[in-house]
Amino acid sequence: LKQNGVEQQSLHDEKAEVKRCRHILDQLKLAKKYLDSLGVSLVEVEVITSTIITSSSNNSPITAEAGVGSNDTAGSSENAEYVVHKFMHDDEENATHLVSKNAESDCNDTTVNNDKNAPANNGMIMPPTKTINVEKILHRQSDEKVAAEMMASLRTLIKASLLIEFSTEAQHHTMDDNHHSDEEEEASTEHENTDQTLSHEERMHRARIRRNYHPFCRDGKLHLPTVYFKESLSDEDSNNLCDNNVKVLESLPQHPASIGLQSILKILFIMDTYCRDDLLDDDWDKLFECQHEDLGPGDTRIHDEELMTLKTGMRNRCWLANRISSSLDVEITRVWALTDRSSNLNTPSIHFHPADVFDPNDDVDTSETRNGESEQQIPGSYSAKSYNRLMTLEERVAHARIATLVHRRDGDWQKAVELVVGYIVSSAPTLKVANHPKLPPVLSLCILEALIAPEGYVPINNTENEAKNHLPDFKSGETTKGWFYQQVIFLFDSMSQESQKSAFKLMQALAFPVHVAGSVWKERSMCIDDRIRDIAQVEVAAYERLKSSIDAAWLKFLQFDEMTEELVQKVGHDFLSSSVSNVLPENNEHGTDPITSTRQSSLVSGMTCLLSLLTIGDFDEVINLCNKILLTLKGGKLDNGDKKSRNACLFLLPACCYAYTNIMCRKWETMKLGNTMGRHTASAFAVKDLFSPILDSITELVNLDDWANIDAIAQCCVLLCDGRRLLRLANNVLPHAIKTLMRNSGAAISSDERSVISRVTSLFVDACEIPTVRVINLKRRPDRLLDFMADAAKEQLLVIKGPAKLRSKSQVKKNANAIVSPSSIDVNEACSGYDAFDGQCGADELDDQLLERLAGDGALSDFIRAKWRPGDLRAFDREARNGNELVATSITERACALSHIASWMGVEQSLSPVVNAGEVDGYEQKVIRMFKISGFARGPALLHKNTDMEPTPVCVVLEDDAVLADRFAERLSSLLEELPRDFHFCSLGYSRPKTAPIVDFSSQLGIPSCLWYLTGYVLSLEGARHLIQSLPVTGPVDSWMGMKMCSNWDNVYGHWIGVGKHARAMSKLPSRKDLSKIMKFRAFAALVPLCEQKVGK
């Protein structure tokens, strides 16, 4: 009986395991179904075909080429085929092989004699048999590519109204969201002309479709986002997702984009739950073995090819949701606001003028355009001119929903809160600088609604449905203040009265810019120009829904009867005084009760101060507050008192710095917009840096044990992108901090102080991960530096000046392959760079500049030749002089070359290895060096002797007119993963001659044959030394560099790929063994440039 019980329990467990595996398999199959409906593939199929021809005389196989060549009739007829599937899984290559064998015998209607003793076919020679082997290899698509395809599919579904609208036209017209106003008007005119040629029934049919499927138009009701979805998604809806039939789409209960959005969320949830990376290969394979067990009722067998697609494509997909949410977090909290500000300034069609306001009490036809031309407006729809912007807004709403719901489903409520706060801070309106309401706010109430709304939320423009928009408390019971407010209080670690008071103040501060943005959108909604009015009405409707929503009930913590500019300034100054009074009691003008100086309350004071300063937009107010902080610290009013209050005072400093950098960037963009002269050099000289002197004064008060002050200053350096000041601070602080933490005696420092030191050290370590770039900038072009620093702040980079002191030829030879000792490092010289050499001068003045920066004896001829031969460039530049005539190198070309040479020497100085003498620990020097580099080249080495080479530290050099690509830091990091560790040079921004092909080396890298321009590039220590030892430069420095690349291909391989003849490489990449022989200058280039040279006056 006992044995029978064990067997029954074992059988029961086995059935339960099979049931569990089948459930997981069904979920994976469901996810693949959703992916198929979106047109997204998890695998990439590589098909390899081979042919084997077997002779009938000896049944021995011969090659396909020999068979075809020896028999003219081979392959002339087709017979029956048979297919044999063979599945093999290779864990190392992460690929699945499907082998199909098709046999074709060319009999030509000849009877086959099966008698072995009889002569074959009565003496006739049988034709050979041809066998075709088709091998399919399934490669797992990368998470990045799958995510990109999902987002692209969602965008296509959002554009469904456009696809449906023109689906029956003879000529399809595609619209892009980057079209300018002229293109929008042309599209609108074409659309109207097409409508006029249609029958009345067809026009009504199209109007009905537009009302149902236009962005922000649900069931003919305006201002309602179409990407929100119902709680359930039926299989019928999912099947209709790919159906392009207009009648089928018309019968759908919701917009295709809403179904696509819900499909994406379900896919991410399934992958995150069932495709964990902690599963062993045996456990993962076991999930698919249940397919061969007995099927239960309702179970269906999966096709073998689909099964292998699931097995290969779904493996370790748990990180896909994290990758998507992390990418969207950056977009939402940083990129969108910066992009919109630049776009709004340069799009005159959306600039609002007070004269364009209509009186709502008057009977005015608001469909009139700005030029007074009437437009055929479909009832219950928007103008065609607004379609692109509405579609972009709808897409961002969908992205916001994905980001916030992924965080909430994972239980990461802090990330969800940070997403809301980060979006409000980055997009807060700046009244005195941004020129509202002429320019629209970048704070979208539709996006804010998407970030805050609960799951299953469907927007309705009716306050009576407020009770439906309700989310239960994540702990227990029901709440009347929504998840966001509850989570903010929970982040303060307690439900005490102090925490609730701090949370209330934070909610008020967050509500302030939201209400200001809502008032600006209301004013713009009264415009007679539909390009302005349509978007504004959508935002106003979202604003009203937010105010009536329980999840945004915190907006009621701050209420206004009428939002005027004077009231905004008064409320902002009240918030500012309240936040300052908590840490600067002498500035308590309103008699508010100071909050106890805890870290949480200090953070609230800093956030309140930041939001107030940003919304007011008063540059002078920021500087005045910084001066008050400086005077308080200098006067020592808090030093001998409460130390926590002093630390709270320092929390205001990063807030002021963030506000200063944002207001300055917006002010500079506005100044450029008002300057119609082309260049903005004169305006740039009028921009004074008033924050840096204050920060320098505070830095002078720092001692090595003043950790709170060091923390605040380091944060300011990161916000200012000031790599020079941060490097100097790290040189002074890090050795002392590390030694303090390594003390054996726990009684030497208190636990609180140890916590602060650890936080400061972690801050420096995190700052090490930020790429440091070196900029070449002329002192007389501060406008270029301001533009470059704005780009650097957008991409979160640290910036130092590139050119260093020049060394003479004798010193270059002496220091070749030298190892630096810590005692020989001049901290001040290592932390400071120089301006670029200025070529707008005479030859004597350029020599004077050289002597000022030259260490030791030397002359200009040591670095650049006086003459060069332009005819050497004839193969790549048809306009170059033909012949061997020598021309003089211009002063501008000499100055440019000297600036780059000085930057190479700075790179060599920063990357030279450091050897510590005696008992000095080298850990500090390794950490400090991280502030001088841009990352590590981690790709496999090119040369065989460098196979065991460690990842190579690199430096990025950029000219001040470089325009950085979006996500520059992220793309640079991805490129460095493929860059060989023993490289010399890698171009990031360049122009390529038409007859200089680039040979693909990897997915992101190519090997160039010749490039122009040195807009941006990556250098290694070995590369810097190679260039320095190759001096002097001949001619323009970029041409000299291009000819060094060309010299690699002065051989038979260059002839094969077509150097000097073709634009594209005519041959594949040579083997690595051959590359190691021909590439004396190991130069690479990004296939997609990461920066470009600014074009303009």
Side-chain angles (χ1 to χ4, degrees):
L1 290 177
K2 184 177 180 180
Q3 184 177 0
N4 290 337
V6 171
E7 291 178 354
Q8 290 180 1
Q9 181 64 34
S10 176
L11 182 61
H12 179 270
D13 294 342
E14 184 177 351
K15 290 183 178 180
E17 180 65 19
V18 171
K19 185 178 181 180
R20 184 187 69 86
C21 292
R22 283 179 178 169
H23 171 73
I24 296 176
L25 197 59
D26 289 340
Q27 292 297 311
L28 297 180
K29 183 181 178 182
L30 180 63
K32 186 179 181 300
K33 177 183 177 181
Y34 290 144
L35 286 167
D36 292 340
S37 67
L38 293 171
V40 179
S41 176
L42 292 172
V43 296
E44 183 178 359
V45 181
E46 179 184 1
V47 180
I48 301 176
T49 304
S50 60
T51 304
I52 300 177
I53 299 177
T54 306
S55 174
S56 60
S57 59
N58 53 6
N59 292 329
S60 60
I62 59 176
T63 62
E65 292 78 11
V68 173
S70 60
N71 190 346
D72 295 336
T73 63
S76 60
S77 63
E78 297 181 359
N79 298 312
E81 300 180 355
Y82 66 93
V83 181
V84 179
H85 295 282
K86 178 182 179 182
F87 301 95
M88 296 180 294
H89 183 69
D90 189 345
D91 293 329
E92 295 181 357
E93 297 182 358
N94 197 17
T96 304
H97 300 259
L98 270 66
V99 180
S100 303
K101 184 168 62 177
N102 303 331
E104 298 181 359
S105 58
D106 300 328
C107 300
N108 296 325
D109 297 331
T110 303
T111 305
V112 179
N113 190 352
N114 295 325
D115 187 0
K116 294 182 180 180
N117 298 323
N121 205 18
N122 296 325
M124 297 180 60
I125 300 176
M126 294 293 295
T129 302
K130 181 176 67 173
T131 303
I132 301 176
N133 291 330
V134 180
E135 182 180 9
K136 295 181 179 179
I137 304 177
L138 303 183
H139 297 280
R140 181 182 181 273
Q141 293 271 38
S142 64
D143 288 347
E144 292 80 3
K145 190 169 184 178
V146 173
E149 289 182 359
M150 290 170 67
M151 296 298 105
S153 178
L154 180 61
R155 177 178 176 80
T156 302
L157 294 175
I158 292 173
K159 295 173 65 177
S161 59
L162 182 68
L163 300 176
I164 297 168
E165 186 173 333
F166 297 102
S167 60
T168 58
E169 295 181 11
Q171 294 182 351
H172 292 271
H173 177 70
T174 58
M175 299 176 64
D176 186 82
D177 63 327
N178 293 324
H179 283 188
H180 299 290
S181 58
D182 294 340
E183 295 173 337
E184 293 173 0
E185 293 176 1
E186 182 181 350
S188 176
T189 304
E190 180 182 345
H191 169 67
E192 293 172 6
N193 295 336
T194 304
D195 269 0
Q196 293 174 1
T197 62
L198 300 175
S199 64
H200 175 71
E201 292 77 8
E202 184 66 20
R203 287 201 302 270
M204 294 301 297
H205 173 68
R206 292 194 176 192
R208 190 163 55 251
I209 291 176
R210 291 176 209 155
R211 286 197 297 269
N212 289 334
Y213 291 101
H214 200 289
F216 287 94
C217 184
R218 179 188 292 272
D219 299 329
K221 298 179 181 179
L222 300 179
H223 318 319
L224 297 176
T226 55
V227 297
Y228 288 93
F229 48 82
K230 299 178 181 178
E231 294 183 0
S232 61
L233 176 65
S234 64
D235 292 339
E236 182 181 359
D237 293 340
S238 178
N239 293 331
N240 290 336
L241 193 62
C242 294
D243 199 332
N244 293 324
N245 192 310
V246 175
K247 294 182 179 180
V248 174
L249 286 171
E250 188 179 7
S251 65
L252 283 176
Q254 47 190 331
H255 195 280
S258 67
I259 303 175
L261 177 60
Q262 189 173 10
S263 298
I264 289 176
L265 289 171
K266 286 182 176 293
I267 291 168
L268 297 179
F269 175 76
I270 291 174
M271 288 181 173
D272 187 53
T273 305
Y274 301 109
C275 303
R276 309 296 300 178
D277 59 348
D278 54 357
L279 281 177
L280 298 177
D281 292 338
D282 293 340
D283 296 334
W284 179 254
D285 294 340
K286 188 176 181 181
L287 295 176
F288 301 90
E289 293 176 358
C290 65
Q291 170 74 7
H292 304 290
E293 302 290 339
D294 294 335
L295 297 177
D299 293 336
T300 57
R301 182 176 296 277
I302 305 176
H303 192 270
D304 289 342
E305 187 170 350
E306 181 182 2
L307 190 69
M308 297 311 301
T309 300
L310 287 175
K311 187 176 182 180
T312 304
M314 286 290 184
R315 187 72 169 113
N316 296 338
R317 290 290 184 187
C318 59
W319 292 105
L320 183 62
N322 181 264
R323 289 179 183 273
I324 291 178
S325 61
S326 299
S327 178
L328 292 178
D329 288 351
V330 177
E331 294 277 344
I332 294 170
T333 59
R334 183 159 52 92
V335 176
W336 287 354
L338 295 170
T339 303
D340 287 349
R341 287 192 180 95
S342 177
S343 175
N344 293 342
L345 285 170
N346 298 300
T347 311
S349 61
I350 61 173
H351 291 180
F352 173 70
H353 299 274
D356 294 341
V357 177
F358 67 87
D359 188 349
N361 297 322
D362 295 339
D363 187 12
V364 179
D365 185 7
T366 58
S367 65
E368 292 184 357
T369 62
R370 188 172 194 158
N371 298 325
E373 300 175 357
S374 61
E375 177 180 330
Q376 182 182 359
Q377 186 75 17
I378 301 172
S381 184
Y382 295 97
S383 167
K385 301 173 184 178
S386 305
Y387 179 85
N388 288 327
R389 294 189 180 89
L390 287 170
M391 186 189 68
T392 300
L393 181 58
E394 188 81 85
E395 184 180 13
R396 289 186 175 182
V397 169
H399 289 176
R401 293 297 290 167
I402 292 173
T404 186
L405 291 179
V406 166
H407 290 317
R408 290 190 228 168
R409 287 182 176 183
D410 288 344
D412 195 349
W413 293 92
Q414 181 174 347
K415 276 287 187 181
V417 170
E418 291 176 355
L419 200 59
V420 177
V421 176
Y423 178 70
I424 294 176
V425 170
S426 67
S427 58
T430 309
L431 295 183
K432 281 195 174 182
V433 177
N435 198 9
H436 296 306
K438 178 181 179 180
L439 299 178
V442 297
L443 198 159
S444 169
L445 286 314
C446 295
I447 295 176
L448 183 62
E449 179 187 30
L451 292 173
I452 293 178
E455 190 169 357
Y457 171 82
V458 178
I460 301 176
N461 291 335
N462 190 347
T463 56
E464 295 178 358
N465 294 277
E466 178 180 350
K468 296 181 180 180
N469 303 332
H470 175 67
L471 178 68
D473 187 9
F474 74 101
K475 291 184 177 179
S476 61
E478 297 293 323
T479 176
T480 60
K481 296 180 180 178
W483 73 267
F484 182 69
Y485 179 74
Q486 294 294 327
Q487 289 300 325
V488 169
I489 294 180
F490 181 73
L491 292 178
F492 285 93
D493 299 329
S494 68
M495 299 294 290
S496 64
Q497 184 177 1
E498 178 187 343
S499 296
Q500 293 185 12
K501 188 175 180 180
S502 299
F504 181 79
K505 283 184 67 66
L506 180 59
M507 294 292 99
Q508 280 187 318
L510 291 172
F512 180 42
V514 175
H515 285 302
V516 172
S519 67
V520 177
W521 284 119
K522 280 185 177 180
E523 190 171 354
R524 290 176 61 87
S525 67
M526 306 301 293
C527 182
I528 62 175
D529 191 342
D530 48 18
R531 292 172 295 187
I532 299 175
R533 186 185 64 252
D534 287 348
I535 304 296
Q537 288 179 345
V538 167
E539 297 290 354
V540 170
Y543 181 51
E544 297 299 329
R545 291 195 300 268
L546 277 171
K547 290 194 297 184
S548 62
S549 172
I550 293 178
D551 292 279
W554 48 272
L555 290 176
K556 298 180 181 179
F557 292 172
L558 187 67
Q559 296 185 356
F560 302 94
D561 295 332
E562 184 179 359
M563 182 69 73
T564 62
E565 186 175 352
E566 294 76 12
L567 181 59
V568 170
Q569 295 293 330
K570 181 180 181 301
V571 173
H573 282 92
D574 289 343
F575 273 125
L576 187 60
S577 299
S578 175
S579 61
V580 171
S581 65
N582 294 328
V583 292
L584 300 176
E586 65 274 13
N587 294 288
N588 190 353
E589 301 175 357
H590 300 272
T592 57
D593 297 330
I595 299 177
T596 305
S597 297
T598 61
R599 178 172 175 81
Q600 289 81 6
S601 62
S602 301
L603 286 171
V604 170
S605 298
M607 184 62 67
T608 305
C609 173
L610 170 61
L611 290 168
S612 303
L613 291 173
L614 284 175
T615 308
I616 295 173
D618 192 342
F619 177 77
D620 296 331
E621 194 71 37
V622 179
I623 299 302
N624 290 335
L625 180 57
C626 293
N627 285 322
K628 289 180 181 179
I629 296 173
L630 176 61
L631 291 175
T632 303
L633 296 175
K634 276 188 174 181
K637 297 179 180 180
L638 299 176
D639 284 344
N640 298 325
D642 187 8
K643 189 174 182 180
K644 292 184 179 181
S645 298
R646 180 178 181 277
N647 294 343
C649 176
L650 291 170
F651 266 100
L652 297 179
L653 191 61
C656 293
C657 181
Y658 185 91
Y660 172 83
T661 54
N662 277 267
I663 294 174
M664 280 297 299
C665 288
R666 300 176 197 181
K667 185 177 180 180
W668 170 240
E669 292 292 336
T670 306
M671 291 174 64
K672 290 195 298 182
L673 182 66
N675 184 7
T676 59
M677 299 301 294
R679 285 181 58 170
H680 315 290
T681 307
S683 301
F685 276 110
V687 178
K688 302 296 182 183
D689 185 4
L690 302 178
F691 188 85
S692 293
I694 298 175
L695 190 60
D696 288 334
S697 300
I698 296 177
T699 305
E700 293 176 357
L701 303 176
V702 175
N703 58 64
L704 294 180
D705 294 321
D706 193 356
W707 303 112
N709 206 345
I710 293 170
D711 189 7
I713 295 172
Q715 292 184 52
C716 291
C717 292
V718 174
L719 292 171
L720 292 171
C721 306
D722 193 344
R724 179 189 62 84
R725 184 179 280 108
L726 185 62
L727 176 57
R728 185 171 297 175
L729 187 66
N731 265 310
N732 296 331
V733 172
L734 275 179
H736 176 70
I738 294 173
K739 291 177 182 178
T740 303
L741 286 175
M742 289 182 176
R743 290 176 185 170
N744 295 326
S745 175
I749 54 177
S750 63
S751 58
D752 292 340
E753 188 176 4
R754 182 179 292 275
S755 176
V756 175
I757 299 173
S758 300
R759 188 174 70 248
V760 173
T761 306
S762 299
L763 174 65
F764 278 105
V765 173
D766 292 340
C768 291
E769 301 296 327
I770 302 175
T772 298
V773 298
R774 298 161 185 260
V775 61
I776 301 175
N777 172 248
L778 287 167
K779 187 176 182 180
R780 58 179 172 83
R781 294 305 302 268
D783 55 322
R784 287 186 173 182
L785 185 60
L786 285 173
D787 289 337
F788 184 86
M789 295 302 293
D791 262 2
K794 174 183 175 182
E795 299 298 331
Q796 292 186 338
L797 304 172
L798 292 174
V799 180
I800 60 177
K801 290 186 177 181
K805 275 195 172 183
L806 292 170
R807 298 194 309 275
S808 62
K809 184 180 294 186
S810 59
Q811 287 182 317
V812 169
K813 294 181 179 179
K814 180 181 178 181
N815 293 337
N817 301 321
I819 297 177
V820 181
S821 173
S823 60
S824 64
I825 298 178
D826 187 345
V827 175
N828 293 326
E829 182 179 347
C831 299
S832 62
Y834 296 88
D835 295 316
F837 286 85
D838 197 338
Q840 289 192 0
C841 62
D844 295 337
E845 294 177 358
L846 184 60
D847 288 336
D848 293 338
Q849 295 182 47
L850 176 62
L851 292 176
E852 290 178 2
R853 303 190 192 179
L854 184 59
D857 299 331
L860 184 61
S861 59
D862 294 338
F863 303 99
I864 183 169
R865 298 184 189 277
K867 294 184 177 183
W868 67 294
R869 183 179 294 105
D872 295 340
L873 306 178
R874 186 68 180 173
F876 304 110
D877 187 0
R878 295 180 180 179
E879 298 180 0
R881 299 185 185 183
N882 192 7
N884 296 324
E885 182 183 357
L886 293 174
V887 299
T889 306
S890 67
I891 296 179
T892 303
E893 292 170 344
R894 297 177 191 178
C896 180
L898 288 174
S899 300
H900 282 277
I901 294 170
S903 299
W904 303 341
M905 293 186 176
V907 170
E908 183 191 21
Q909 181 182 8
S910 298
L911 298 183
S912 295
V914 177
V915 174
N916 297 277
E919 300 179 356
V920 180
D921 192 0
Y923 177 73
E924 301 93 340
Q925 294 299 330
K926 292 180 180 179
V927 175
I928 291 172
R929 189 182 68 169
M930 293 291 294
F931 292 96
K932 307 176 187 179
I933 68 174
S934 307
F936 291 88
R938 302 180 182 275
L942 187 64
L943 304 183
H944 179 71
K945 65 179 182 180
N946 297 328
T947 303
D948 298 329
M949 189 177 183
E950 294 291 331
T952 304
V954 303
C955 291
V956 171
V957 180
L958 296 165
E959 293 181 339
D960 57 3
D961 59 350
V963 179
L964 305 181
D966 291 335
R967 298 181 174 239
F968 175 86
E970 180 180 336
R971 294 176 62 184
L972 175 65
S973 176
S974 178
L975 183 140
L976 292 179
E977 291 293 329
E978 299 181 6
L979 189 60
R981 305 179 183 198
D982 53 354
F983 85 106
H984 285 159
F985 173 92
C986 180
S987 182
L988 303 178
Y990 54 87
S991 175
R992 181 171 62 90
K994 292 183 178 180
T995 55
I998 293 182
V999 186
D1000 290 351
F1001 179 79
S1002 65
S1003 62
Q1004 301 183 66
L1005 289 171
I1007 301 179
S1009 56
C1010 184
L1011 298 176
W1012 301 145
Y1013 302 150
L1014 295 176
T1015 308
Y1017 52 90
V1018 185
L1019 267 185
S1020 65
L1021 173 61
E1022 195 173 352
R1025 287 176 173 172
H1026 177 87
L1027 293 174
I1028 293 171
Q1029 292 168 10
S1030 300
L1031 296 176
V1033 171
T1034 303
V1037 64
D1038 62 330
S1039 301
W1040 177 76
M1041 191 82 75
M1043 297 311 295
K1044 284 185 65 66
M1045 301 174 191
C1046 185
S1047 64
N1048 291 331
W1049 302 100
D1050 189 12
N1051 45 51
V1052 65
Y1053 298 104
H1055 175 73
W1056 287 350
I1057 69 173
V1059 176
K1061 299 178 181 179
H1062 303 285
R1064 294 185 177 181
M1066 306 304 293
S1067 177
K1068 294 184 179 180
L1069 184 72
S1071 65
R1072 292 216 171 199
K1073 182 179 180 181
D1074 292 333
L1075 283 176
S1076 63
K1077 293 178 180 179
I1078 66 176
M1079 290 188 66
K1080 304 304 179 184
F1081 178 46
R1082 296 190 286 276
F1084 296 84
L1087 293 177
V1088 179
L1090 273 63
C1091 61
E1092 61 183 5
Q1093 194 172 37
K1094 185 179 298 182
V1095 178
K1097 295 182 181 179

